[in-house]
Amino acid sequence: MKSRQAWAWAWTGFFRFLLLAVFALSASLASGENLFNINTFDSIYGSYNETLTGNVSSGSPSTISWQSAGYHWTGSIGLTNTQGQILALITTNANDVYVLSTKGATAMFGKPCAGNATECVVLTPGQTQSLYGAINAANNGRGICCTTSSSVQLLSAADIYSLLGPSVADTLAALRLNQMNLNNVFALFSSYLNPGLSYDCALFDKHGMCVSVSGRYSAVDGTDTQVTSGVVTMAYRLKPNARIGAFVDQFAGNINSGGVNVNGNTPDVGLFAVWTQYDSGAGLNLRAAFRYGLHDTGISRMAIGSSEPGFGMTTLTDQGVQLTASEGYDVRKNLMLKPYVGLRYINLTLNGYTEYASTSVTTPLAYNAVRDQFTTLLGGISLIDHLTHKVDLSGTLGVETDLSESMGVYTASGIPGLTPIPMNGNYLRTRGVASAGASYDLGNSQLISAQLVYRQEAMYLSTTTTALVSYVKGF
């Protein structure tokens, strides 16, 4: 009798030692890629110990088979986020083979749990949950492996959630930050397109040629989004009251707005044509202009909370067409008034792209193209004062109103639950524009001029300021 008791105590001690060793092993594994550490002890079948692991980076499934004290259950248990979207699956069959799938290609991932899994367990970020208890209740008291005498150790829900992938809420916060920066870039390019469609060169000599060299600075007011560029404009006089021309507008550096970096390695180019009723500018004046640019653009996504960083390359296209008509009136000697009307179309397109995968980016996002298009009616009045035989002053007050607009949506995919972000926040349909300028005649068909333009932009209630200084030479 004592011998049997001794053997019983020995076996009980051995099993306790074995359980402690397994518990220690499972604790050490929890810091790696292991999603679950499951240890079982069954009074009927004896000790059965196993660790369930999953390679989160590759999304490969992990399989474990254990005894369940005679209980057999088949189906799939969906592990979901707080929005009810499936993040991972534990599937079982009648042979008690349990498979954990994480980040795999299964069609269930990202879908609502109802109808896509037999049972659902919600994982709440930052909250420790008894996953065993939740699944046990969902499966009518049959647990996930064994009887009530077993010991099941699981990682907390917060640990599981962080291993399953980046937080949807944190990723959306990073995307909203990029959307704001893109709005600033689009506003800056809008300020470039609009005054840039008015570049001209109208000082000619005996060969009927005009060349202008300008320095330009533009900024989105209240932000760090700004750019300096050089502009070369050339025109040829077809007849005394008609000219055609072209311009090249080259950035001096890159345009940076938060994580958005527009490369200045390629210039914008444009064409224009002008017809005037009289050489002096009085009477009817007609003008047409076109502008186009294509720029390499890098976009960095900041890591916020549990979200991953990201980076991708794409291109930004800007193009515009403008038609204007004005009528020059001599109010008095050396003072001319020019009411004007016009029509302008601009298109800003950020092409779609996919972020690069890396050791720190296991879930790169893919983005759709973002396109803003505006057809705008222009109206206003310009004043030109020939102050002296060498000095001219000018000023313009105008109003712009969009006849049609189509603003894009910033959309990313790659993480279930990401929602589109509209680009039309605080859209302003009718906007004001004002400018002031001065020029000085240097003689010998030369002059220097300066102009300051202030504009309200359509997007995000932004305003822009542009300064332009030019040297003009007639040939």
Side-chain angles (χ1 to χ4, degrees):
M1 188 69 175
K2 290 183 179 180
S3 176
R4 290 180 180 179
Q5 290 179 342
W7 276 106
W9 281 109
W11 276 109
T12 301
F14 173 77
F15 283 128
R16 289 178 178 175
F17 172 80
L18 188 59
L19 280 175
L20 290 174
V22 171
F23 289 169
L25 177 60
S26 67
S28 66
L29 289 172
S31 61
E33 290 183 326
N34 296 344
L35 293 179
F36 298 90
N37 291 304
I38 299 178
N39 301 282
T40 69
F41 179 81
D42 191 289
S43 58
I44 299 175
Y45 290 97
S47 176
Y48 188 90
N49 301 288
E50 189 60 81
T51 299
L52 175 61
T53 64
N55 188 324
V56 180
S57 299
S58 66
S60 61
S62 301
T63 303
I64 182 173
S65 177
W66 61 74
Q67 296 166 300
S68 63
Y71 294 112
H72 298 296
W73 179 82
T74 60
S76 59
I77 302 165
L79 306 182
T80 78
N81 57 17
T82 53
Q83 287 76 42
Q85 296 161 327
I86 296 177
L87 301 174
L89 287 172
I90 299 176
T91 57
T92 68
N93 60 31
N95 296 321
D96 292 332
V97 176
Y98 286 65
V99 178
L100 171 70
S101 300
T102 64
K103 282 186 166 183
T106 175
M108 290 189 183
F109 289 165
K111 301 297 180 62
C113 196
N116 289 288
T118 309
E119 302 292 347
C120 304
V121 175
V122 177
L123 305 179
T124 305
Q127 177 180 326
T128 300
Q129 297 169 250
S130 172
L131 192 58
Y132 170 74
I135 297 176
N136 185 64
N139 292 335
N140 298 318
R142 285 175 289 184
I144 59 173
C145 63
C146 40
T147 66
T148 56
S149 63
S150 59
S151 172
V152 177
Q153 292 188 327
L154 301 172
L155 299 181
S156 70
D159 294 331
I160 297 170
Y161 190 89
S162 65
L163 286 171
L164 286 175
S167 160
V168 173
D170 290 341
T171 302
L172 278 173
L175 293 180
R176 290 190 185 96
L177 183 60
N178 274 8
Q179 179 259 340
M180 292 177 59
N181 290 323
L182 281 173
N183 262 330
N184 287 337
V185 169
F186 276 29
L188 186 66
F189 270 90
S190 180
S191 75
Y192 248 83
L193 280 167
N194 297 332
L197 286 167
S198 300
Y199 289 155
D200 203 351
C201 202
L203 183 62
F204 301 98
D205 208 336
K206 58 183 180 180
H207 297 295
M209 296 290 296
C210 178
V211 177
S212 171
V213 179
S214 308
R216 175 175 172 170
Y217 171 81
S218 292
V220 180
D221 301 329
T223 74
D224 294 329
T225 308
Q226 57 189 334
V227 67
T228 301
S229 68
V231 186
V232 176
T233 307
M234 301 182 66
Y236 176 71
R237 185 169 58 184
L238 298 172
K239 54 179 64 177
N241 64 339
R243 61 186 179 272
I244 58 174
F247 62 85
V248 176
D249 193 338
Q250 174 66 60
F251 300 154
N254 295 345
I255 298 175
N256 295 297
S257 179
V260 182
N261 182 278
V262 182
N263 199 308
N265 55 358
T266 56
D268 279 20
V269 295
L271 302 170
F272 62 89
V274 180
W275 178 87
T276 60
Q277 188 173 359
Y278 302 106
D279 294 348
S280 64
L284 182 62
N285 297 264
L286 301 176
R287 174 185 172 83
F290 168 77
R291 179 183 178 119
Y292 176 84
L294 179 65
H295 306 276
D296 292 333
T297 302
I299 301 181
S300 300
R301 176 166 56 95
M302 181 184 297
I304 296 179
S306 66
S307 70
E308 295 179 334
F311 176 78
M313 290 294 300
T314 183
T315 55
L316 175 64
T317 303
D318 63 284
Q319 54 185 325
V321 178
Q322 182 170 289
L323 305 173
T324 55
S326 63
E327 184 79 22
Y329 298 96
D330 289 320
V331 178
R332 59 173 173 79
K333 184 180 180 181
N334 298 326
L335 182 64
M336 183 177 290
L337 198 63
K338 278 190 172 184
Y340 70 88
V341 294
L343 194 65
R344 180 175 60 233
Y345 168 80
I346 68 171
N347 182 348
L348 300 171
T349 301
L350 183 76
N351 290 317
Y353 68 98
T354 300
E355 294 173 340
Y356 302 119
S358 66
T359 55
S360 60
V361 183
T362 61
T363 310
L365 302 183
Y367 299 82
N368 292 344
V370 177
R371 180 176 291 106
D372 284 1
Q373 301 178 84
F374 302 92
T375 301
T376 306
L377 180 66
L378 321 174
I381 189 167
S382 297
L383 188 68
I384 302 172
D385 186 0
H386 300 290
L387 192 62
T388 71
H389 72 287
K390 285 185 173 293
V391 178
D392 288 350
L393 300 178
S394 63
T396 299
L397 288 176
V399 176
E400 303 177 355
T401 185
D402 293 330
L403 301 178
S404 66
E405 79 287 335
S406 175
M407 280 170 280
V409 177
Y410 192 48
T411 305
S413 60
I415 297 177
L418 295 179
T419 55
I421 304 173
M423 294 287 286
N424 62 348
N426 296 321
Y427 164 65
L428 188 63
R429 179 178 297 276
T430 301
R431 308 170 294 277
V433 57
S435 69
S439 64
Y440 181 80
D441 189 347
L442 298 172
N444 296 321
S445 299
Q446 301 176 89
L447 64 82
I448 57 173
S449 66
Q451 186 182 39
L452 188 67
V453 181
Y454 175 82
R455 296 178 45 81
Q456 291 179 305
E457 301 297 343
M459 294 160 287
Y460 220 70
L461 294 182
S462 55
T463 60
T464 58
T465 301
T466 296
L468 185 73
V469 178
S470 304
Y471 167 78
V472 185
K473 171 65 176 174
F475 296 91

